[in-house]
Each structure stands twice: as structure tokens, then as C-alpha cells.
Amino acid sequence: MDPDHGRCWGTSKKDSWKTLLLLSYQSLGVVYGDLGISPLYVYKSTFAEDIHHSETNEEIFGVLSFVFWTLTLVPLFKYVFIVLRADDNGEGGTFALYSLICRHAKVSLLPNRQVADEALSTYKLEHPPEQKNSSRVKMLLEKHRVLHTALLILVLLGTCMVIGDGLLTPAISVFSAVSGLELSMSKEHHQYAVIPITCFILVCLFALQHYGTHRVGFFFAPVVLIWLLCISALGLYNIFRWNPHIYQALSPYYMFQFLKKTRKDGWMSLGGILLCITGSEAMFADLGHFSYTAIQIAFTFLVYPALILAYMGQAAYLSIHHDNSYQISFYVSVPETVRWPVLIIAILASVVGSQAIISGTFSIINQSQSLGCFPRVKVVHTSDKIHGQIYIPEINWILMILCIAVTIGFRDTKHMGNASGLAVMAVMLVTTCLTSLVIILCWHKPPIVALSFLLFFGSIELLYFSASLTKFREGAWLPILLALFLMTIMYVWHYATIKKYEFDLHNKVSLEWLLALGPSLGIARVPGIGLVFTDLTSGIPANFSRFVTNLPAFHQVLVFVCVKSVPVPYVPPAERYLVGRVGPAAHRSYRCIVRYGYRDVHQDVDSFESELVGRLADFIRYDWVRTHGTDPCIEDDGSGSGGSSSECRLTVIGNVAFSGTPAYEIEESLQPASVSIGFPTVESVTDVIEMEPISVTKRRVRFAIDDESETDTRSETDVQLQEELEELWAAQQSGTAFILGHSHVRAKQGSSLVKRLAINVGYNFLRRNCRGPDVALKVPPVSLLEVGMVYIV
């Protein structure tokens, strides 16, 4: 998106200050929980081992200066003022950036792309004047397929690190909050209390996930607001009580003095300092729930000042107190009279921060699954009113077990901080690289601007990332190991999915073969509707030919259904269905392509079946009116890559309203967004089809299948239309069968050992243990027909 356009909420005049302030307040609980609780563990992790607090205060002043400038440059300048503008129809996150890049350059590895997808209203592209150098970068990316794969691997790396953060953040947040008990209990009791209490809170947190955040969401924002006001007040108290001149330590001079004195140890301690920006990515990832302006207001005027005051207050206290009887922690700077209330608020705030990152983990796994990069898992939508609030049972319990294992295994903030810091910096580096491409490809800025952005922020993040890598043996190995494991799963699943599609494309049968099937070949048509699910957008899939070969019959009404993902966050319901004929009208065969964005909610089978029949009826009426009785099947003008010589044009069919029983009525308003002349399908990103703009006038049409109608006055076209609709209605009453392929994938002979292990062992193990397509589509077992298919890839 252009930085001045394309936001979901935007900053239009109709957005009143009251609405913006309300959104800013609500964003506190969802967006800033993780970032807000970072003062609990930053100083403790920084001074854990590499550097020590001395009488000269050079270390604490240097750390404060680093914290101040890191918070200023990364969350404030990079995210609030630059990255948040790179939204995808109001959505943010790693997949939003990837989606933007894929729409502006042909670098997507998603199969079954169609020219018609570019006509979606959410597939909007701004076209300011392209820079010559920008087009060169675009051509370079599009030319080399290895760069497409590298870009996908980069996105998957960022995704894996976000999942790793979802595992580590709850552990370190709750552990750091509960560790405040150490100042109120003896050491003997403390070491046996903190771990069990932390584990108990984590179990409760994950056990409550299936209720959804909307049930306790009203509780989140007040908790974070009270916490931010609390740390601000404590910061001001410590500054005026202990060291009013602490503001001088904000000067960059103290950073250089710190590095000059501590040298290598100071550089290694940056692995603890970077924890002050954990949660910054949440501002971008949760952009879709709020507006850009609301997040900007909340961070700039509340969160940022509160965090700076909190860190300055802790530094002011430590600059006077050099007694090491207690390990440096947040709670030593809290006055004893308010320590227990602060402890309770801190635990509540840590739970809120953990909840936000867990919800984000569910969301990004769902997006990965939508784009064919993650095995199918059960997704439960916990709210009918609030879009995007989901719960994934399998991932929830795996995260809980791993989170408790991390807490029990590491047992201290240092190791947890090292692991969390590396995951956070890896995600930020991925975001920086992808945003640099957005600046060139989407905003059409000169490459020097993107290079400056990459070098400036990338060098800061690389400095911190390198410091985190030095802690490999002290906890940083965990996110690396987790990322390698998850990336292997995701890449193997994606690779096999692409290969299966290529196999289907190569082995599809021609339309002539389908039209030749009939009584002369012993093929019968049985009552009912047959829904043949396939990934192909044209041609007849091999699983259907196998089905007819083994069972010489198919349904009176045949529909080839392709449920596909497109690189946009949402597809408007009025633009979701592409419908066309397969063969002449008398054959009663259709193709329906159902398009979803990576954040869309997939329909259950009951509503899908009824809506599909409604869209088919609407298309039949529209097609007969448009063609006036002529053959509606138009030649594909050679755009296909063979296999079907007469693919019909597809039409975007909008919302349909049903009314009347037993009469079958369809009422619609034809608008440019709901019905338009369709586009020929394409099977390769290299195919180009010229599309002429058309003007669509508003019409209101009402028809009914009624025995009392005056058939004498109908034209031949009306009679044929009536017959086709009656057959569709009768077929629906007879029942619907869902025909799906039951696939087994094998690596072809001569494949390398790695490929054989990945396909024969890895992919097939994942396929057997994940949710099948019939379960994902919620197909009733009595209506399911599975066709065995062996894919040699």
C-alpha cells in the first residue's frame, strides 16, 4: 500500500477524537501487554552475568541510555512512523507484508492463481509512477525462482520465531512477575514457591483459552492501563527521591562510555537490553483490530513515556544503592509499603501480555494454514461478533506443555531472556527486510530509500541479534532449534502441496472426455448433486476420472469445487464465488471457485452447501439472460495450457437472498461488486489475458418456480431456464455427495535421500496425523465419497 492510502480505519474526518481515544484505550490490553511488562526483567537479565553494577554507575547509566535510544529508534521511529503504514487493507504482520509483495510482483508460490483474482476489491494496487530502478528490482525478483523460494523461507522463519515468542513470552513474563515473592519470603521458601506458582498460573492461562478473549477482553485494557500508571508513578517517585539528575544518562555519550569500559562483556549484555522492545511487533501484527492513528496515539502519549519513566526510576534507585544482597530486579525499587499491590498488578499484567501473544500465535498459524504452509489443524472461532478471535486446541496444549517445560528447565530469567531475545530480534529482522521490499515494490520509492531503511534499522537489529547468538549455550539454542523444527514441517508441507498441484495439473483430463461419457459407454446419471473437490481451476481432475472408471455413474448435477486462498486478508462475500459452466447447459455440469483471504473464516458445510446451490441458481438465471439462448460456453482463446479446449468463462456471483417455501425464489441486486462478466482461468503466472472494462447496470430480478405461472407466454429460453432450475432444485432434494481425493504421496524413483525422507516419511506422517480435508470441510460421513489417489512427485 502507498503510505497515504489503503488503511482500514484511516484518519478520515469522520473518525472523531472520541472514537480514536476509545480505540487507543482498547489497544492497551491487546497490543501493549507484552511491551508494557518488559521493565520486570530487562535490568535483571542485563546484569545477570556479563556486567556488574559498580560504584561509578557507568554501567547503569550506559544501560539506561541504550534502553532509551532502542525504545526511541525501534518501536517509535521504525514501527509507529514507518512499518505501520505498510498495511494490507488495514491488516499487519509478516503475512500482510508477504501478501503485499506477492500482489505487486509475481513472486508467489501459491498454486491456481487466476487473472480474475486481481479484480477483487481488496486486491487493490496503487500505481504511482514507477522508478526505473524499482522496476529493475521487480524484474530481478520475478526472473529467478530461487528468489521466490528464498522470500518464502524468510517469511516462514519470521512465522516460526513468532510461534517461538508465543512459547517463551508467557514463561518469562509470569515467572518475572511471580519472582517478586523473593523479597517477601525466605530463600528456602522462595525457591520452592516461585516455580509451582508460575506453572499453576500458566496452566490456568492455557486452560481458559477455549472461552475466547472476548469474554475477559474488557478486563485487559484496565489492567494494562493501571500497570502503566503504576510504573510511571514508581518511576517518578524513584527519580525525585533518589536521583533527580538521572535524565542526563539519556545522552548517547553514556552508551559509548559503557562500551568503552565493558568492551566484549558490554556487547554481550545487549542480549538483555533488547528485551525492552519485546512486544513491538504486536503493534504491527494487531493493526487489523485497531486503526493506525489509535495505535500511534496510545504508544506515543502513554506507553512510551510510561516505559521511559519506569526505566529511569529503576536506574535512579540503582545509582544510589550498590548493595548486592539482593539480585538486581524490578521489585527492589518498589517501596515496601506498596510491594504486594504492585506484585498482584504485575502478575495480572503478565497474564494479559501472555494472552495477547498466545492469541497472535493462533492467528499466525491459521494464516500459515490458509496459505498451504502448515498442516491442517482444528480452528475454533470463539466469537460470532468479533472477527479473527480463534482458538486452536492442539497448538494450545502443545504450547502449554512446552511453556511449563521451559519454566521448569531454565528456572531463571537469564536463560529465558536469552531465548526470548533471539526470537524477538529474528522477527524484527524479517520485518525490516520485507518492509524494504515494500518500499520499493509497493510504494515505488527509489531503492536508495529502501537501502537506507535496511542499513539503518538492520544494523541496529543485527547488533542485538549478534549479542543474542553469543548466548547460544545459555538458552538461545531453544528458539533456533524450535525454528528449525517448525520450518522443516512448514516447508515440507508446502513443497508437497505444490507438487501435488503440479501432478493434478499434468494429469487432468479434457472436457471432451467428460462430454463423451453417457449411456453408450454404460455411464449412468443418478439423482442428486455431486460436489467434486479439486485444487484445479480448469480442466477435469484425475480423481474424478478415477471415480467414474471404478463406479460408472455420476450425479445429475455435477459441480467441480475449488476452495482456494488468495493473497489478500479478506475476500468480500459478494466476490467470493466464481461460477461457470463445464460444457453445454444440457450437461448440467458447473465449476465453482470459492476464494478466501488468509484471515477469512471458512464456512461450515451446511451453510456452504445451501449457499452454493443459491449461487448456482443465480448464475443459471444470469447466464440464460446474458446469452439469450446461445451456447454459453466460449472458447478459452488459447490461454490455458492444454488439456481442455473449451473452458467456459467464469462469472462473479454476489449475494443471494432466499425467500418463499415451497416456491424457489431468488432476489438480487446486480451491482458492479456482485455480478460481473468473468475472466478466463489461467494456470500459469505467465499467462496474460486482456480484459475489457464493462459497465454493469443495476437490475432487480425476481423469479419463482411456480406451477400456476403462465407457461403459454414463455419463450423457449424461459422454458429452458425453468427446466434447469427445477432440475437443480430436485437434485438438492435428492441429496448432496462430497467427492474428495484420499491421497498418498510418494517420491518418484531416482529422488535423493533427503526428498524421499521428506515426502515418504515426513509428509505422509503429517498427512496421517493432521485433520483430513473432509474433517476440515465438516463433511458428514454419510455424504462422503473418497477416491484413492497415489501421487508420484
Side-chain angles (χ1 to χ4, degrees):
M1 290 286 128
D2 184 78
D4 298 326
H5 301 283
R7 285 181 205 94
C8 181
W9 298 82
T11 55
S12 61
K13 295 180 181 179
K14 67 179 181 180
D15 284 349
S16 64
W17 279 105
K18 183 179 179 181
T19 305
L20 285 174
L21 290 176
L22 179 62
L23 284 172
S24 299
Y25 168 73
Q26 292 173 340
S27 71
L28 293 176
V30 177
V31 178
Y32 297 111
D34 189 13
L35 187 62
I37 58 177
S38 57
L40 286 172
Y41 44 77
V42 168
Y43 284 131
K44 189 172 183 178
S45 298
T46 304
F47 288 95
E49 183 179 33
D50 300 307
I51 57 174
H52 302 283
H53 184 34
S54 66
E55 298 284 344
T56 62
N57 287 327
E58 287 182 325
E59 293 85 1
I60 190 65
F61 288 168
V63 170
L64 175 61
S65 183
F66 264 107
V67 167
F68 172 76
W69 287 104
T70 303
L71 274 172
T72 303
L73 292 175
V74 179
L76 187 62
F77 287 173
K78 176 189 167 185
Y79 279 94
V80 170
F81 293 115
I82 300 175
V83 175
L84 287 185
R85 295 174 179 269
D87 65 298
D88 181 12
N89 292 281
E91 294 295 326
T94 307
F95 276 104
L97 293 173
Y98 183 61
S99 172
L100 272 176
I101 293 168
C102 289
R103 295 211 302 272
H104 287 80
K106 296 176 182 177
V107 295
S108 174
L109 293 177
L110 280 175
N112 57 38
R113 177 182 172 273
Q114 294 173 280
V115 173
D117 296 339
E118 299 179 12
L120 288 167
S121 59
T122 49
Y123 200 110
K124 46 188 175 182
L125 308 174
E126 279 74 27
H127 294 287
E130 276 200 24
Q131 301 287 332
K132 185 176 180 181
N133 291 330
S134 299
S135 60
R136 286 180 179 175
V137 173
K138 180 179 177 180
M139 289 172 60
L140 179 67
L141 278 174
E142 293 178 346
K143 183 178 179 182
H144 300 286
R145 189 173 175 84
V146 66
L147 294 179
H148 303 179
T149 306
L151 184 62
L152 177 67
I153 290 175
L154 184 67
V155 172
L156 295 183
L157 174 64
T159 303
C160 295
M161 287 300 181
V162 170
I163 297 171
D165 198 22
L167 158 67
L168 296 164
T169 294
I172 188 173
S173 300
V174 177
F175 182 86
S176 299
V178 175
S179 64
L181 292 171
E182 67 185 353
L183 300 181
S184 304
M185 302 173 66
S186 64
K187 189 173 182 180
E188 291 76 15
H189 293 93
H190 162 255
Q191 62 182 351
Y192 295 112
V194 172
I195 299 295
I197 292 174
T198 301
C199 291
F200 174 76
I201 293 173
L202 289 173
V203 169
C204 293
L205 175 64
F206 284 100
L208 294 173
Q209 289 300 311
H210 70 280
Y211 289 109
T213 56
H214 69 285
R215 297 187 185 275
V216 289
F218 69 94
F219 175 69
F220 286 1
V223 166
V224 177
L225 178 62
I226 292 170
W227 170 249
L228 291 174
L229 294 176
C230 175
I231 62 175
S232 301
L234 288 172
L236 287 170
Y237 169 81
N238 285 318
I239 290 170
F240 289 109
R241 172 76 187 276
W242 303 112
N243 190 350
H245 301 288
I246 192 66
Y247 66 88
Q248 296 175 355
L250 302 181
S251 168
Y253 166 79
Y254 287 95
M255 286 195 296
F256 296 110
Q257 285 296 108
F258 170 77
L259 292 176
K260 183 178 178 181
K261 179 181 179 180
T262 57
R263 298 182 181 276
K264 182 182 177 181
D265 291 336
W267 166 62
M268 294 174 68
S269 71
L270 295 179
I273 295 173
L274 68 85
L275 294 176
C276 70
I277 52 176
T278 56
S280 299
E281 187 73 21
M283 285 192 289
F284 185 44
D286 292 320
L287 182 60
H289 297 120
F290 306 97
S291 69
Y292 165 72
T293 311
I295 291 179
Q296 192 177 40
I297 289 172
F299 183 80
T300 307
F301 296 105
L302 179 59
V303 179
Y304 177 73
L307 290 174
I308 297 300
L309 287 174
Y311 289 116
M312 288 177 67
Q314 289 185 66
Y317 178 88
L318 293 172
S319 67
I320 302 300
H321 298 80
H322 302 90
D323 183 14
N324 289 325
S325 58
Y326 284 113
Q327 188 180 10
I328 290 176
S329 72
F330 169 79
Y331 291 101
V332 297
S333 62
V334 179
E336 192 171 351
T337 53
V338 295
R339 193 167 287 163
W340 276 103
V342 170
L343 175 66
I344 294 171
I345 297 171
I347 291 174
L348 291 175
S350 68
V351 169
V352 171
S354 302
Q355 172 63 52
I357 195 67
I358 293 169
S359 299
T361 304
F362 292 156
S363 179
I364 201 163
I365 287 176
N366 187 42
Q367 293 173 37
S368 305
Q369 178 182 251
S370 298
L371 295 176
C373 297
F374 201 86
R376 290 179 295 268
V377 291
K378 181 180 181 180
V379 178
V380 178
H381 295 272
T382 58
S383 174
D384 295 329
K385 297 179 180 178
I386 304 174
H387 189 87
Q389 290 195 356
I390 60 173
Y391 163 67
I392 304 177
E394 298 97 325
I395 301 300
N396 181 68
W397 301 122
I398 291 172
L399 279 178
M400 186 192 77
I401 294 168
L402 292 177
C403 208
I404 292 173
V406 167
T407 305
I408 296 173
F410 284 160
R411 290 176 172 266
D412 64 2
T413 309
K414 182 184 79 170
H415 288 82
M416 294 183 196
N418 292 338
S420 181
L422 188 124
V424 167
M425 292 318 303
V427 175
M428 289 188 174
L429 276 169
V430 169
T431 300
T432 300
C433 295
L434 294 177
T435 306
S436 302
L437 288 176
V438 168
I439 291 172
I440 297 176
L441 301 174
C442 308
W443 296 352
H444 301 295
K445 301 296 182 184
I448 189 65
V449 175
L451 186 62
S452 301
F453 174 85
L454 180 64
L455 290 178
F456 181 75
F457 291 106
S459 59
I460 296 172
E461 290 157 1
L462 275 175
L463 177 66
Y464 283 117
F465 186 73
S466 63
S468 295
L469 281 177
T470 62
K471 309 288 186 178
F472 180 82
R473 298 177 62 183
E474 289 148 15
W477 58 268
L478 181 61
I480 295 176
L481 183 66
L482 186 65
L484 286 174
F485 178 72
L486 287 173
M487 276 192 69
T488 302
I489 290 176
M490 295 170 80
Y491 190 77
V492 165
W493 186 267
H494 181 78
Y495 176 79
T497 301
I498 295 295
K499 290 299 179 182
K500 280 177 62 180
Y501 174 77
E502 291 175 354
F503 182 91
D504 280 337
L505 196 63
H506 181 72
N507 290 278
K508 68 180 182 180
V509 296
S510 67
L511 180 61
E512 285 74 14
W513 174 87
L514 176 66
L515 299 179
L517 297 176
S520 59
L521 297 178
I523 306 295
R525 301 291 291 265
V526 297
I529 299 176
L531 301 182
V532 183
F533 284 83
T534 175
D535 290 329
L536 298 178
T537 56
S538 65
I540 310 303
N543 63 345
F544 179 71
S545 65
R546 187 176 179 85
F547 170 77
V548 174
T549 302
N550 289 277
L551 183 66
F554 58 95
H555 295 81
Q556 187 64 38
V557 175
L558 191 63
V559 187
F560 296 97
V561 181
C562 173
V563 180
K564 57 177 280 190
S565 293
V566 289
V568 295
Y570 306 106
V571 175
E575 303 174 39
R576 190 175 308 285
Y577 287 81
L578 272 172
V579 186
R581 294 191 186 276
V582 178
H587 200 268
R588 303 296 190 254
S589 297
Y590 311 91
R591 184 178 307 282
C592 181
I593 298 172
V594 190
R595 301 177 292 184
Y596 288 99
Y598 56 82
R599 281 188 180 270
D600 268 325
V601 179
H602 288 231
Q603 296 164 293
D604 60 57
V605 71
D606 294 327
S607 63
F608 173 74
E609 180 184 347
S610 59
E611 187 168 356
L612 178 61
V613 171
R615 299 300 171 96
L616 285 175
D618 192 42
F619 166 76
I620 290 167
R621 184 215 52 80
Y622 173 73
D623 190 58
W624 279 105
V625 171
R626 181 187 64 176
T627 58
H628 301 291
T630 60
D631 188 359
C633 208
I634 302 172
E635 286 295 312
D636 198 15
D637 59 34
S639 64
S641 56
S644 66
S645 60
S646 54
E647 273 296 324
C648 299
R649 291 183 181 272
L650 299 174
T651 305
V652 180
I653 300 295
N655 288 323
V656 179
F658 294 94
S659 63
T661 306
Y664 190 87
E665 298 180 339
I666 296 178
E667 188 174 309
E668 65 157 351
S669 175
L670 297 183
Q671 312 233 355
S674 50
V675 177
S676 63
I677 297 297
F679 310 105
T681 60
V682 295
E683 295 157 5
S684 168
V685 293
T686 59
D687 293 330
V688 178
I689 297 174
E690 294 295 327
M691 296 176 290
E692 295 181 2
I694 62 168
S695 60
V696 182
T697 58
K698 292 185 178 180
R699 300 185 221 156
R700 190 173 181 84
V701 180
R702 185 180 181 89
F703 68 92
I705 297 174
D706 190 352
D707 293 333
E708 299 176 0
S709 300
E710 297 179 0
T711 56
D712 295 336
T713 61
R714 290 178 182 169
S715 65
E716 184 180 351
T717 299
D718 293 332
V719 172
Q720 291 175 332
L721 166 62
Q722 180 83 1
E723 288 176 355
E724 189 167 1
L725 287 170
E726 285 175 345
E727 287 189 26
L728 178 63
W729 175 247
Q732 187 184 24
Q733 297 304 307
S734 299
T736 303
F738 296 80
I739 303 170
L740 284 79
H742 184 79
S743 59
H744 180 76
V745 185
R746 289 207 312 260
K748 59 186 176 183
Q749 287 187 344
S751 299
S752 64
L753 177 63
V754 174
K755 183 176 179 179
R756 292 201 305 273
L757 285 174
I759 299 296
N760 298 348
V761 179
Y763 177 77
N764 284 309
F765 173 81
L766 293 173
R767 182 187 56 79
R768 286 192 300 268
N769 289 279
C770 75
R771 290 166 65 83
D774 56 319
V775 180
L777 293 166
K778 301 179 183 176
V779 177
V782 70
S783 303
L784 177 64
L785 288 172
E786 288 191 304
V787 182
M789 287 287 294
V790 178
Y791 290 83
I792 309 297
V793 299

